[in-house]
Amino acid sequence: MKKLLGVLGGLGPIASAEFLKTIYELNVAGLEQEMPACILYSDPKFPDRTAAIAGYSDEILINLLIEILEKLSQLGAEKIVIACTTIHYFLPRIPAQLSAKVISLIDLVIQEVFQSKKQHLMLSTPAARDAGIFQQHPEWSLVEQYIKFPDDEDQNVLHQFIYQIKQNCNLAPIAFYLEKLLFKYQVDSLIIGCTELHLVTKYLARSEFKGRQFAVVDPLITLAKNIHQLMDE
């Protein structure tokens, strides 16, 4: 019997819906019955993750996170992906039997950077950066030399763009800005450390940027491409 992937979405809703589309775009089969089985539970009522990391509404967020992970498990999800990088900060505070089901986006990024051994620029929320979500990974020391972070000015601009993406904005200006960052920081690729930016990854693939040297490490793309392997781990 086919294994079921649960997707905890709604953080934001457009990005997680696009991720579900990505899974099927990258797993086209001769028969549609052979394509992956997924459940998207999209609930936008989660408190703001930046505020929660600062200590505001963190208990509300954690309780809601546990509740939805339990619901996905009850629906038969054997593995779960949380379509929000920043909320991974709270995974150590949920029951072990639930966290064990989560396919970590942080793990996927660290593994891909280590395998590439190229220079990357981390694009994340300020909260994810300040909380050290990537830096606290047990294998961070293996990839630290390959990852740069934007300066404060670029981090603030990026944060504004992330909130604009939530409102279904025009992605072209953001794509051009990210291209400038590639040259400014002299890196080989960009790390999509915020799932809202998955929409920009998809835009780059289908727009005037297609075919240009614009490499990204997007854990949602990595997960979609390797879904069958990850479901069996």
Side-chain angles (χ1 to χ4, degrees), residues 11 29 84 97 113 116 120 126 134 145 156 161 178 186 217 220:
L11 312 99
C84 172
Q97 70 270 20
V113 170
S116 74
H120 306 266
F134 287 91
Q145 61 183 311
N156 288 334
F161 277 142
L178 296 187
Q186 294 296 293
V217 173
L220 295 183

Side-chain angles (χ1 to χ4, degrees), residues 17-233:
E18 186 66 33
F19 170 55
L20 189 64
K21 182 181 177 184
T22 299
I23 290 175
Y24 289 110
E25 288 175 338
L26 296 181
N27 289 277
V28 175
L31 296 173
E32 67 179 26
Q33 289 81 4
E34 297 172 350
M35 295 170 74
C38 308
I39 296 177
L40 171 61
Y41 192 114
S42 182
D43 191 341
K45 71 182 177 185
F46 274 89
D48 183 89
R49 275 66 71 196
T50 298
I53 287 177
Y56 303 99
S57 305
D58 57 328
E59 291 298 330
I60 295 175
L61 182 147
I62 292 168
N63 289 336
L64 184 56
L65 178 59
I66 292 171
E67 176 188 338
I68 296 178
L69 290 175
E70 287 178 339
K71 286 181 179 178
L72 285 169
S73 296
Q74 291 165 4
L75 288 169
E78 298 187 53
K79 294 286 186 178
I80 299 171
V81 57
I82 304 174
C84 172
T85 308
T86 306
I87 207 172
H88 282 61
Y89 174 81
F90 297 99
L91 286 183
R93 297 172 63 180
I94 68 172
Q97 70 270 20
L98 292 176
S99 62
K101 289 192 170 193
V102 175
I103 300 174
S104 168
L105 301 184
I106 313 301
D107 286 351
L108 296 178
V109 168
I110 297 296
Q111 291 165 9
E112 191 164 348
V113 170
F114 179 72
Q115 291 169 3
S116 74
K117 292 183 171 58
K118 295 181 179 180
Q119 290 296 310
H120 306 266
L121 182 67
M122 175 64 70
L123 306 180
S124 65
T125 63
R129 174 178 176 169
D130 295 344
I133 292 174
F134 287 91
Q135 299 93 314
Q136 292 179 15
H137 191 277
E139 297 181 354
W140 173 252
S141 62
L142 300 177
V143 300
E144 183 177 7
Q145 61 183 311
Y146 305 119
I147 298 177
K148 297 181 180 180
F149 288 87
D151 60 30
D152 290 342
E153 180 180 355
D154 287 324
Q155 182 69 71
N156 288 334
V157 172
L158 181 63
H159 195 214
Q160 294 172 16
F161 277 142
I162 287 171
Y163 278 98
Q164 290 175 26
I165 292 171
K166 290 178 180 291
Q167 301 300 317
N168 201 25
C169 70
N170 178 11
L171 297 174
I174 304 175
F176 282 108
Y177 179 74
L178 296 187
E179 185 177 40
K180 290 180 181 178
L181 293 183
L182 270 174
F183 293 101
K184 176 178 178 178
Y185 292 94
Q186 294 296 293
V187 294
D188 300 297
S189 77
L190 304 174
I191 295 173
I192 305 302
C194 171
T195 51
E196 298 297 339
L197 295 171
H198 178 64
L199 291 160
V200 184
T201 301
K202 299 291 293 293
Y203 172 81
L204 293 171
R206 66 176 181 265
S207 70
E208 65 268 25
F209 285 90
K210 190 172 184 179
R212 291 161 68 172
Q213 296 301 313
F214 204 121
V216 297
V217 173
D218 184 335
L220 295 183
I221 294 288
T222 302
L223 196 158
K225 286 181 177 178
N226 298 281
I227 187 170
H228 297 294
Q229 175 187 341
L230 290 169
M231 290 298 293
D232 289 333
E233 290 181 353

